[in-house]
Amino acid sequence: MPERELTNAQRALLLALMVKAGPVENRYLTRAKINLKKAPYRDQLVDWKLITLREKPEVPYLTLELTEKGWGRALEELSAEVPALAGSLGGTLYLLLDVLRQHFEKQNVSAAEFFSAYAGQTGETAGPAPRAQRVAPSDDLESRIRKAYADLAAEPGAWVTLEDVRRALGDGSKPAVDHALLRLDREPDVSLIPESNQKTLTAGQRSAAVRIGNQDMHLLAVGR
């Protein structure tokens, strides 16, 4: 954890990246008025290993994402005191954060699971998802995932790629299937893990991954 206290703008950025639960384009943060106006403050978060920055030659903007340490630091804000100079809106925000903390504890769900289910991520942009795509999946979708797995797996507990599972489902928006997978991951007989050898992943396998925290999961097993 950094020795220096975070500024309110830095706190806001960490919380925004936690809510989006994945890579976020800098231009989206700017439109949402969450972007840090002074690059040194952003660079401090990089130096403290709380966020990562990625640049692509073909696009004129940065992509930001929380590191594992950044997730931990953002989660601390859920039980933190209201920062100085936060104002009335900031005080209300921290009331909401405390309610979220209580909800996570009561429902035994992680912040990563909760926010990933509603982030509506599409690749690296992580812009706002259409409202229609944020509908929680029914139990039927979870049952269909289990059936698709059973048809694909050589035996119970064998690893199956999420690309194959999504292909077997045929329909269903990615956010809806992601949400169903995250719900299933809470079941004792279900496991989601990343591919250990990332170099072997195809573009389709990367696209089919479900993100939990700051890590993409590519493989599903049921009955382990």
Side-chain angles (χ1 to χ4, degrees):
M1 182 175 174
E3 294 180 1
R4 291 179 58 184
E5 185 74 12
L6 296 178
T7 67
N8 287 345
Q10 288 173 324
R11 288 188 177 91
L13 179 59
L14 294 184
L15 289 171
L17 293 178
M18 177 175 68
V19 169
K20 297 308 295 181
V24 182
E25 291 176 1
N26 194 51
R27 60 179 181 174
Y28 168 78
L29 294 169
T30 300
R31 289 197 302 269
K33 302 187 185 302
I34 302 170
N35 198 10
L36 294 177
K37 294 182 179 180
K38 295 183 179 180
Y41 289 149
R42 184 189 63 205
D43 294 341
Q44 282 180 337
L45 297 179
V46 176
D47 292 340
W48 293 334
K49 302 187 185 307
L50 298 179
I51 67 171
T52 59
L53 298 180
R54 287 189 291 171
E55 293 183 274
K56 291 186 175 181
E58 66 272 19
V59 292
Y61 46 80
L62 296 170
T63 299
L64 293 75
E65 184 174 10
L66 287 178
T67 63
E68 183 175 350
K69 186 177 180 180
W71 269 92
R73 183 61 185 84
L75 288 172
E76 290 180 15
E77 294 300 314
L78 299 184
S79 56
E81 296 291 331
V82 180
L85 304 178
S88 298
L89 185 59
T92 303
L93 169 63
Y94 276 79
L95 283 175
L96 176 59
L97 291 177
D98 186 58
V99 170
L100 279 174
R101 177 188 60 78
Q102 295 178 58
H103 172 76
F104 297 153
E105 292 177 355
K106 184 176 181 180
Q107 299 299 322
N108 192 29
V109 62
S110 71
E113 289 176 310
F114 180 84
F115 290 122
S116 293
Y118 294 97
Q121 297 170 31
T122 55
E124 297 176 348
T125 59
R131 183 176 297 275
Q133 292 186 340
R134 294 187 179 180
V135 177
S138 66
D139 291 340
D140 180 60
L141 183 51
E142 294 172 33
S143 298
R144 290 175 57 204
I145 291 174
R146 284 182 176 273
K147 183 180 185 306
Y149 171 85
D151 292 341
L152 292 166
E155 59 183 4
W159 294 109
V160 171
T161 68
L162 290 183
E163 180 185 28
D164 289 340
V165 172
R166 292 182 192 274
R167 185 183 297 116
L169 290 174
D171 57 359
S173 67
K174 189 175 189 301
V177 176
D178 284 354
H179 192 184
L181 287 168
L182 291 169
R183 285 163 59 102
L184 282 171
D185 190 47
R186 297 167 60 187
E187 299 295 328
D189 64 329
V190 177
S191 298
L192 286 165
I193 65 169
E195 168 57 55
S196 58
N197 187 355
Q198 300 281 307
K199 294 181 179 179
T200 66
L201 290 172
T202 66
Q205 289 169 341
R206 292 182 187 278
S207 177
V210 60
R211 180 166 287 262
I212 299 179
N214 68 333
Q215 193 168 30
D216 286 336
M217 304 297 172
H218 310 96
L219 301 170
L220 169 70
V222 179
R224 291 185 68 83

